[in-house]
Amino acid sequence: FMGGGLVFSGGETLSTHLSSDFRLDDPFTIAFWLKIPPRLGREQDHVILGWGREGNSWEIGCQTASGGSLVVRRNDGFQVGSTDLADGNWHHIAVRYIGNERKLSAKSHVHLYVDGRLETIQAWTPGSPIEGQVGELRIGDLENSGFPGWIDQITVFDEAISTERIQMLVSK
């Protein structure tokens, strides 16, 4: 992977509005490159990006209590991967939501990928489905929980793309 990306420190954020056609409860895939330094503080989790509105949103972060693992939160549910992202290397991240009309099962409806491989999930809790328009996509966080590192080539799909297509994004 070649590129510099955007550099963030805790407390920095960048946001953009997404189309009103993009809904929180519809299938989606979001993919990006990420580099987090190994000196990442282990005292708190870090928000990488999120979309939605306060109290009704998705959030992708780095859970430091689990060694820098990828975490996806949505309202009252979460899912934690097993790969340490805070190793100073570039990693391709993809989160795929296949949609659901009723109770959200983290293991079957939300898929986490690191470097094109489906993550082994080390912790999860189901959550309620999220409904409504997305509003905006936010990178980082205004609080100190914003991630310190680099992010590049963010791609948002309004569908749950295939594993093969996610792997193609990694090889570009």
Side-chain angles (χ1 to χ4, degrees), residues 131-148:
E131 297 178 351
Q133 293 180 336
V134 169
E136 68 178 14
L137 173 71
R138 295 171 314 282
I139 306 168
D141 192 47
L142 290 175
E143 304 297 323
N144 287 334
S145 63
F147 83 101

PDB file of all heavy atoms in Angstrom, residues 131-148:
ATOM      1  N   GLU A 131     -32.522   2.473  12.767  1.00  0.00           N
ATOM      2  CA  GLU A 131     -33.368   2.958  11.677  1.00  0.00           C
ATOM      3  C   GLU A 131     -33.138   4.441  11.462  1.00  0.00           C
ATOM      4  O   GLU A 131     -32.686   5.140  12.352  1.00  0.00           O
ATOM      5  CB  GLU A 131     -34.839   2.697  11.998  1.00  0.00           C
ATOM      6  CG  GLU A 131     -35.170   1.224  12.132  1.00  0.00           C
ATOM      7  CD  GLU A 131     -36.624   0.990  12.498  1.00  0.00           C
ATOM      8  OE1 GLU A 131     -37.335   1.957  12.816  1.00  0.00           O
ATOM      9  OE2 GLU A 131     -37.031  -0.180  12.462  1.00  0.00           O
ATOM     10  N   GLY A 132     -33.463   4.913  10.260  1.00  0.00           N
ATOM     11  CA  GLY A 132     -33.405   6.335   9.948  1.00  0.00           C
ATOM     12  C   GLY A 132     -32.305   6.678   8.971  1.00  0.00           C
ATOM     13  O   GLY A 132     -31.535   5.831   8.530  1.00  0.00           O
ATOM     14  N   GLN A 133     -32.255   7.952   8.637  1.00  0.00           N
ATOM     15  CA  GLN A 133     -31.239   8.440   7.708  1.00  0.00           C
ATOM     16  C   GLN A 133     -29.904   8.579   8.417  1.00  0.00           C
ATOM     17  O   GLN A 133     -29.845   8.814   9.616  1.00  0.00           O
ATOM     18  CB  GLN A 133     -31.658   9.779   7.126  1.00  0.00           C
ATOM     19  CG  GLN A 133     -32.869   9.680   6.226  1.00  0.00           C
ATOM     20  CD  GLN A 133     -33.273  11.024   5.665  1.00  0.00           C
ATOM     21  OE1 GLN A 133     -32.963  12.073   6.237  1.00  0.00           O
ATOM     22  NE2 GLN A 133     -33.961  11.007   4.544  1.00  0.00           N
ATOM     23  N   VAL A 134     -28.854   8.434   7.641  1.00  0.00           N
ATOM     24  CA  VAL A 134     -27.505   8.486   8.195  1.00  0.00           C
ATOM     25  C   VAL A 134     -27.133   9.877   8.663  1.00  0.00           C
ATOM     26  O   VAL A 134     -26.622  10.060   9.750  1.00  0.00           O
ATOM     27  CB  VAL A 134     -26.476   7.981   7.154  1.00  0.00           C
ATOM     28  CG1 VAL A 134     -25.077   8.281   7.603  1.00  0.00           C
ATOM     29  CG2 VAL A 134     -26.660   6.512   6.927  1.00  0.00           C
ATOM     30  N   GLY A 135     -27.334  10.871   7.833  1.00  0.00           N
ATOM     31  CA  GLY A 135     -26.909  12.221   8.185  1.00  0.00           C
ATOM     32  C   GLY A 135     -25.483  12.459   7.743  1.00  0.00           C
ATOM     33  O   GLY A 135     -25.235  12.851   6.622  1.00  0.00           O
ATOM     34  N   GLU A 136     -24.513  12.162   8.604  1.00  0.00           N
ATOM     35  CA  GLU A 136     -23.127  12.456   8.255  1.00  0.00           C
ATOM     36  C   GLU A 136     -22.190  11.313   8.602  1.00  0.00           C
ATOM     37  O   GLU A 136     -22.480  10.474   9.445  1.00  0.00           O
ATOM     38  CB  GLU A 136     -22.662  13.733   8.945  1.00  0.00           C
ATOM     39  CG  GLU A 136     -22.536  13.625  10.448  1.00  0.00           C
ATOM     40  CD  GLU A 136     -22.025  14.900  11.090  1.00  0.00           C
ATOM     41  OE1 GLU A 136     -22.000  15.955  10.438  1.00  0.00           O
ATOM     42  OE2 GLU A 136     -21.634  14.841  12.260  1.00  0.00           O
ATOM     43  N   LEU A 137     -21.053  11.316   7.931  1.00  0.00           N
ATOM     44  CA  LEU A 137     -19.948  10.409   8.216  1.00  0.00           C
ATOM     45  C   LEU A 137     -18.889  11.238   8.926  1.00  0.00           C
ATOM     46  O   LEU A 137     -18.498  12.311   8.441  1.00  0.00           O
ATOM     47  CB  LEU A 137     -19.380   9.832   6.919  1.00  0.00           C
ATOM     48  CG  LEU A 137     -18.108   9.001   7.049  1.00  0.00           C
ATOM     49  CD1 LEU A 137     -18.420   7.677   7.729  1.00  0.00           C
ATOM     50  CD2 LEU A 137     -17.497   8.765   5.676  1.00  0.00           C
ATOM     51  N   ARG A 138     -18.451  10.770  10.094  1.00  0.00           N
ATOM     52  CA  ARG A 138     -17.446  11.479  10.874  1.00  0.00           C
ATOM     53  C   ARG A 138     -16.188  10.628  10.994  1.00  0.00           C
ATOM     54  O   ARG A 138     -16.258   9.465  11.370  1.00  0.00           O
ATOM     55  CB  ARG A 138     -17.965  11.774  12.274  1.00  0.00           C
ATOM     56  CG  ARG A 138     -19.127  12.717  12.349  1.00  0.00           C
ATOM     57  CD  ARG A 138     -19.720  12.787  13.740  1.00  0.00           C
ATOM     58  NE  ARG A 138     -19.937  11.508  14.398  1.00  0.00           N
ATOM     59  CZ  ARG A 138     -20.947  10.679  14.143  1.00  0.00           C
ATOM     60  NH1 ARG A 138     -21.829  10.969  13.213  1.00  0.00           N
ATOM     61  NH2 ARG A 138     -21.074   9.536  14.805  1.00  0.00           N
ATOM     62  N   ILE A 139     -15.053  11.225  10.718  1.00  0.00           N
ATOM     63  CA  ILE A 139     -13.764  10.567  10.917  1.00  0.00           C
ATOM     64  C   ILE A 139     -13.162  11.175  12.171  1.00  0.00           C
ATOM     65  O   ILE A 139     -13.126  12.399  12.321  1.00  0.00           O
ATOM     66  CB  ILE A 139     -12.825  10.784   9.722  1.00  0.00           C
ATOM     67  CG1 ILE A 139     -13.492  10.350   8.422  1.00  0.00           C
ATOM     68  CG2 ILE A 139     -11.509  10.029   9.928  1.00  0.00           C
ATOM     69  CD1 ILE A 139     -12.745  10.786   7.176  1.00  0.00           C
ATOM     70  N   GLY A 140     -12.702  10.337  13.081  1.00  0.00           N
ATOM     71  CA  GLY A 140     -12.163  10.825  14.341  1.00  0.00           C
ATOM     72  C   GLY A 140     -13.273  11.128  15.323  1.00  0.00           C
ATOM     73  O   GLY A 140     -14.429  10.733  15.138  1.00  0.00           O
ATOM     74  N   ASP A 141     -12.936  11.856  16.375  1.00  0.00           N
ATOM     75  CA  ASP A 141     -13.907  12.184  17.412  1.00  0.00           C
ATOM     76  C   ASP A 141     -13.458  13.462  18.101  1.00  0.00           C
ATOM     77  O   ASP A 141     -12.255  13.670  18.287  1.00  0.00           O
ATOM     78  CB  ASP A 141     -14.007  11.038  18.415  1.00  0.00           C
ATOM     79  CG  ASP A 141     -15.186  11.169  19.354  1.00  0.00           C
ATOM     80  OD1 ASP A 141     -16.292  11.457  18.860  1.00  0.00           O
ATOM     81  OD2 ASP A 141     -14.992  10.974  20.565  1.00  0.00           O
ATOM     82  N   LEU A 142     -14.393  14.317  18.464  1.00  0.00           N
ATOM     83  CA  LEU A 142     -14.051  15.575  19.117  1.00  0.00           C
ATOM     84  C   LEU A 142     -13.508  15.372  20.523  1.00  0.00           C
ATOM     85  O   LEU A 142     -12.813  16.213  21.053  1.00  0.00           O
ATOM     86  CB  LEU A 142     -15.266  16.506  19.159  1.00  0.00           C
ATOM     87  CG  LEU A 142     -15.680  17.071  17.802  1.00  0.00           C
ATOM     88  CD1 LEU A 142     -16.964  17.884  17.934  1.00  0.00           C
ATOM     89  CD2 LEU A 142     -14.574  17.916  17.205  1.00  0.00           C
ATOM     90  N   GLU A 143     -13.843  14.260  21.116  1.00  0.00           N
ATOM     91  CA  GLU A 143     -13.328  13.958  22.449  1.00  0.00           C
ATOM     92  C   GLU A 143     -11.907  13.396  22.316  1.00  0.00           C
ATOM     93  O   GLU A 143     -11.427  13.134  21.226  1.00  0.00           O
ATOM     94  CB  GLU A 143     -14.232  12.919  23.129  1.00  0.00           C
ATOM     95  CG  GLU A 143     -15.686  13.335  23.216  1.00  0.00           C
ATOM     96  CD  GLU A 143     -15.885  14.578  24.062  1.00  0.00           C
ATOM     97  OE1 GLU A 143     -15.186  14.732  25.086  1.00  0.00           O
ATOM     98  OE2 GLU A 143     -16.743  15.398  23.694  1.00  0.00           O
ATOM     99  N   ASN A 144     -11.261  13.162  23.411  1.00  0.00           N
ATOM    100  CA  ASN A 144      -9.918  12.571  23.386  1.00  0.00           C
ATOM    101  C   ASN A 144      -9.932  11.145  22.866  1.00  0.00           C
ATOM    102  O   ASN A 144      -8.880  10.559  22.632  1.00  0.00           O
ATOM    103  CB  ASN A 144      -9.288  12.604  24.779  1.00  0.00           C
ATOM    104  CG  ASN A 144      -8.875  14.008  25.155  1.00  0.00           C
ATOM    105  OD1 ASN A 144      -8.607  14.833  24.295  1.00  0.00           O
ATOM    106  ND2 ASN A 144      -8.853  14.285  26.444  1.00  0.00           N
ATOM    107  N   SER A 145     -11.140  10.557  22.699  1.00  0.00           N
ATOM    108  CA  SER A 145     -11.218   9.181  22.228  1.00  0.00           C
ATOM    109  C   SER A 145     -11.002   9.064  20.726  1.00  0.00           C
ATOM    110  O   SER A 145     -10.990   7.973  20.193  1.00  0.00           O
ATOM    111  CB  SER A 145     -12.571   8.573  22.602  1.00  0.00           C
ATOM    112  OG  SER A 145     -13.618   9.288  21.962  1.00  0.00           O
ATOM    113  N   GLY A 146     -10.809  10.188  20.027  1.00  0.00           N
ATOM    114  CA  GLY A 146     -10.498  10.115  18.600  1.00  0.00           C
ATOM    115  C   GLY A 146      -9.176   9.392  18.404  1.00  0.00           C
ATOM    116  O   GLY A 146      -8.266   9.505  19.217  1.00  0.00           O
ATOM    117  N   PHE A 147      -9.078   8.641  17.324  1.00  0.00           N
ATOM    118  CA  PHE A 147      -7.885   7.813  17.150  1.00  0.00           C
ATOM    119  C   PHE A 147      -6.681   8.635  16.703  1.00  0.00           C
ATOM    120  O   PHE A 147      -6.813   9.573  15.925  1.00  0.00           O
ATOM    121  CB  PHE A 147      -8.176   6.682  16.161  1.00  0.00           C
ATOM    122  CG  PHE A 147      -8.038   7.066  14.711  1.00  0.00           C
ATOM    123  CD1 PHE A 147      -6.905   6.721  14.001  1.00  0.00           C
ATOM    124  CD2 PHE A 147      -9.043   7.756  14.063  1.00  0.00           C
ATOM    125  CE1 PHE A 147      -6.775   7.069  12.676  1.00  0.00           C
ATOM    126  CE2 PHE A 147      -8.924   8.096  12.740  1.00  0.00           C
ATOM    127  CZ  PHE A 147      -7.787   7.754  12.033  1.00  0.00           C
ATOM    128  N   PRO A 148      -5.493   8.283  17.173  1.00  0.00           N
ATOM    129  CA  PRO A 148      -4.264   8.893  16.682  1.00  0.00           C
ATOM    130  C   PRO A 148      -3.699   8.004  15.576  1.00  0.00           C
ATOM    131  O   PRO A 148      -3.348   6.855  15.820  1.00  0.00           O
ATOM    132  CB  PRO A 148      -3.360   8.879  17.917  1.00  0.00           C
ATOM    133  CG  PRO A 148      -3.816   7.660  18.672  1.00  0.00           C
ATOM    134  CD  PRO A 148      -5.279   7.480  18.368  1.00  0.00           C
TER     135      PRO A 148
END
